Amino acid sequence: MATTRISLTEWLPDQPSTVGALVDVNNVVPLIQGYAPFPSSVDYSNAASEDLNNVYAGKFSSLTQLFASSNSKLYQFSTATKNLTNVSKVGGYTGTRWNFTQFGNVLLATNNAEKIQAWYVSSSSAFADVSASAPVAKYITVIRDFVVAANISGTPNKVQWSDINDETDWTSGGASQADYQIISDGGNIQ
């Protein structure tokens, strides 16, 4: 089958469509002049028992670990065997899409159905609840010395953060800087 090169204009997604700019590009990679087709997909690991919906790399010191998630499982990738090993907590999960962040040597994951999960990059063999006081959240990130979770337990406009430099303490009060805020205007946290 013959291949035909198609000339595309410059990709300018933030420009109005009336200027003749390309605003949507799928399945191509940029070249010095124009675009080329995206390479064919290639299996890199053994098959997971479910469709994967996210991938995240955790790094601490010289150790890097790669993780993938499905709706009910968290997997660790082995560079030696190319296998995906189920490293979910006992009983698995019931959420949907996972969100990940890293705080020091702790990889944190949340799926809007389970308490925040923790994996210590240098020592864990399975994910576990980061603490009994941790929230169920849809989103998670790190801001300076705090772990911040958002869209909390059916309250889509709630933000909650851990104690300073302690991802395990989520209890509000005078003994810690952990707290929460319900943001009354602006709608759901996305």
Side-chain angles (χ1 to χ4, degrees):
M1 173 185 271
T3 302
T4 305
R5 182 175 282 272
I6 300 172
S7 295
L8 302 172
T9 61
E10 188 176 1
W11 185 53
L12 300 169
D14 57 346
Q15 299 297 313
S17 61
T18 58
V19 298
L22 185 63
V23 294
D24 190 21
V25 178
N26 293 312
N27 301 316
V28 295
V29 292
L31 300 174
I32 292 173
Q33 257 187 341
Y35 301 88
F38 197 77
S40 299
S41 64
V42 176
D43 289 340
Y44 190 70
S45 70
N46 65 331
S49 59
E50 300 176 12
D51 291 339
L52 300 179
N53 60 29
N54 206 345
V55 176
Y56 191 84
K59 182 175 182 181
F60 185 71
S61 189
S62 62
L63 182 62
T64 301
Q65 296 177 333
L66 185 64
F67 298 88
S69 63
S70 65
N71 286 353
S72 67
K73 294 179 184 168
L74 294 168
Y75 300 93
Q76 181 184 25
F77 175 74
S78 166
T79 56
T81 64
K82 306 280 193 241
N83 287 334
L84 289 173
T85 303
N86 182 357
V87 291
S88 304
K89 73 176 183 179
V90 176
Y93 305 104
T94 59
T96 55
R97 184 174 174 84
W98 286 89
N99 284 285
F100 294 91
T101 195
Q102 187 168 342
F103 187 68
N105 74 330
V106 184
L107 181 68
L108 299 166
T110 188
N111 69 349
N112 204 29
E114 312 286 336
K115 288 192 179 287
I116 296 171
Q117 297 295 291
W119 173 279
Y120 293 85
V121 174
S122 56
S123 62
S124 287
S125 59
F127 276 88
D129 293 352
V130 71
S131 73
S133 62
V136 173
K138 189 171 186 178
Y139 303 108
I140 191 166
T141 193
V142 173
I143 300 175
R144 295 188 56 119
D145 298 328
F146 297 90
V147 177
V148 179
N151 200 318
I152 307 291
S153 303
T155 308
N157 58 340
K158 183 177 180 182
V159 177
Q160 188 171 349
W161 54 93
S162 70
D163 192 13
I164 190 166
N165 288 320
D166 186 357
E167 75 283 352
T168 64
D169 184 358
W170 292 84
T171 305
S172 299
S176 81
Q177 292 183 17
D179 208 350
Y180 68 91
Q181 174 79 41
I182 296 176
I183 302 170
S184 59
D185 58 351
N188 297 353
I189 296 170
Q190 300 294 327

